[in-house]
Amino acid sequence: QVQLVESGGGLVQAGGSLRLSCAASGHTFGGYNMGWFRQAPGKEREFVAAISWTGGSTYYTDSVKGRFTVSRDNAKNTLYLQMSSLKPEDTAVYYCAAHVGRGRFGTSSTTSSTDYGYWGQGTQVTVSS
């Protein structure tokens, strides 16, 4: 099993930046492709970004491309999401998760929350206008 704990959320003005962290413990973090998801009030959880287990490949939903950057440090067992040029519509609870599905990185499996087996508790990001 992998235990995941997110941090770094908060309140920021539109146009500002935040960096989320996801600390992992338990099973080998470096063996998993990892993802970030978010859920706004009254909406379904949606995919935000993902990174391969080596860190060599990344994948983003269109709405955050050019503004968010996902990265990882396997030596520190930590996943990151650098968020810039934040917009009010980015307001949500952000979750990190470990991919356990069989689909290859970059396929529909990467963006499907049902293919992620370990989840953090989430961290709130609020962007004011």
Side-chain angles (χ1 to χ4, degrees), residues 89-126:
E89 51 264 42
D90 294 318
T91 295
V93 177
Y94 284 71
Y95 301 89
C96 63
H99 186 265
V100 298
R102 295 185 176 183
R104 294 181 63 182
F105 188 83
T107 66
S108 59
S109 177
T110 297
T111 63
S112 174
S113 62
T114 58
D115 279 1
Y116 287 78
Y118 304 108
W119 293 82
Q121 83 290 347
T123 185
Q124 176 71 48
V125 172
T126 303

Side-chain angles (χ1 to χ4, degrees), residues 2-85:
V2 178
Q3 290 80 44
L4 303 170
V5 179
E6 302 95 337
S7 62
L11 173 64
V12 63
Q13 290 188 334
S17 299
L18 281 175
R19 188 176 82 156
L20 305 183
S21 298
C22 172
S25 61
H27 205 270
T28 306
F29 168 76
Y32 290 95
N33 296 333
M34 297 294 295
W36 285 99
F37 289 77
R38 66 186 179 187
Q39 187 166 19
K43 296 187 177 181
E44 293 187 354
R45 189 170 298 188
E46 67 171 351
F47 169 79
V48 176
I51 188 166
S52 63
W53 67 275
T54 64
S57 297
T58 57
Y59 195 79
Y60 300 91
T61 192
D62 286 345
S63 63
V64 308
K65 284 180 181 177
R67 300 189 299 121
F68 291 11
T69 302
V70 59
S71 62
R72 67 191 298 163
D73 186 337
N74 287 343
K76 295 182 178 180
N77 287 345
T78 304
L79 174 73
Y80 303 99
L81 185 67
Q82 177 68 48
M83 306 185 294
S84 303
S85 301

